[in-house]
Amino acid sequence: AASFVVPLACHPLNDLTRDAALRDRVRAEVDAACADGPPDARALRGMRTLRAAWFEALRRYPVVLGLGYRARRDFTFDGRRIRQGELVLVSPVPDHFDAERVPDPFRFDADRFADGDPVGLTPFGTAPRVCLAAGASALVTLAVVSSVLRHAALELVHPSYRPETALAPLPQAPDGRPLLVRSLRPEVP
């Protein structure tokens, strides 16, 4: 058995390993998509349950906590006067944990996004500052996670572990609890 630290972008692996039913659904989806060989971009985008888990991971463990903007004009927001030229940090993260928008927001629930891309979730920024690599990031992450799930049986070293993030200067998992590769799946080529 070998262990590895899960990068923040791959946190779906933590939650998929913890939730056996979800992991089995994703693994069946991955196995079907990979039946004729490695998946292409269309197959990766078609893995609805895996994509939903990835979106839920981005909601629970945001990569971008906010974007800075310069005020173009004076305005008042929530009783505070903002002057033209002041730096304003706009963060979508509070909405990710607002119980009125997201029921039970501190629970990982991939089924929240089963119907496709989530409206209002902005893990890669908002217009006009959207990360140009958002689509590529999704494909790379889905490819890595699907490959790991296809070829390895994972186990959490610390099953009660819940990832926490810290700014240093970008969000990351400071304690790096590893997943354990319990075995390889011999039936998978």
Side-chain angles (χ1 to χ4, degrees):
S3 66
F4 62 98
V5 174
V6 180
L8 187 65
C10 292
H11 273 314
L13 285 174
N14 276 321
D15 291 294
L16 289 173
T17 302
R18 183 175 292 107
D19 183 340
L22 178 60
R23 182 200 58 232
D24 291 346
R25 284 175 35 211
V26 170
R27 184 172 277 153
E29 185 177 77
V30 168
D31 287 347
C34 297
D36 296 326
D40 61 12
R42 177 175 288 168
L44 289 168
R45 286 188 190 103
M47 293 185 203
R48 293 173 53 99
T49 308
L50 178 57
R51 275 181 67 87
W54 183 66
F55 279 123
E56 179 67 348
L58 287 173
R59 183 194 69 78
R60 289 278 291 128
Y61 317 110
V63 176
V64 177
L65 299 182
L67 295 171
Y69 293 87
R70 293 257 174 228
R72 292 187 183 176
R73 58 181 170 76
D74 292 354
F75 66 96
T76 301
F77 179 79
D78 199 29
R80 184 179 185 310
R81 185 79 176 143
I82 309 296
R83 303 270 180 224
Q84 180 180 355
E86 279 188 288
L87 185 63
V88 177
L89 180 67
V90 178
S91 176
V93 175
D95 286 344
H96 295 187
F97 296 93
D98 180 351
E100 291 181 20
R101 293 173 175 245
V102 181
D104 198 5
F106 293 97
R107 181 174 58 88
F108 187 91
D109 180 7
D111 291 328
R112 290 181 213 278
F113 303 119
D115 293 331
D117 294 1
V119 175
L121 180 67
T122 55
F124 296 100
T126 57
R129 295 185 183 171
V130 176
C131 176
L132 295 176
S137 173
L139 289 178
V140 168
T141 302
L142 295 175
V144 169
V145 171
S146 64
S147 180
V148 169
L149 289 174
R150 178 134 170 89
H151 295 287
L154 302 175
E155 177 182 314
L156 286 169
V157 173
H158 305 282
S160 63
Y161 169 69
R162 297 292 190 269
E164 294 181 19
T165 56
L167 294 177
L170 295 174
Q172 56 186 293
D175 50 359
R177 303 286 180 161
L179 283 171
L180 183 66
V181 177
R182 176 56 61 201
S183 64
L184 295 180
R185 296 176 65 204
E187 73 278 6
V188 176

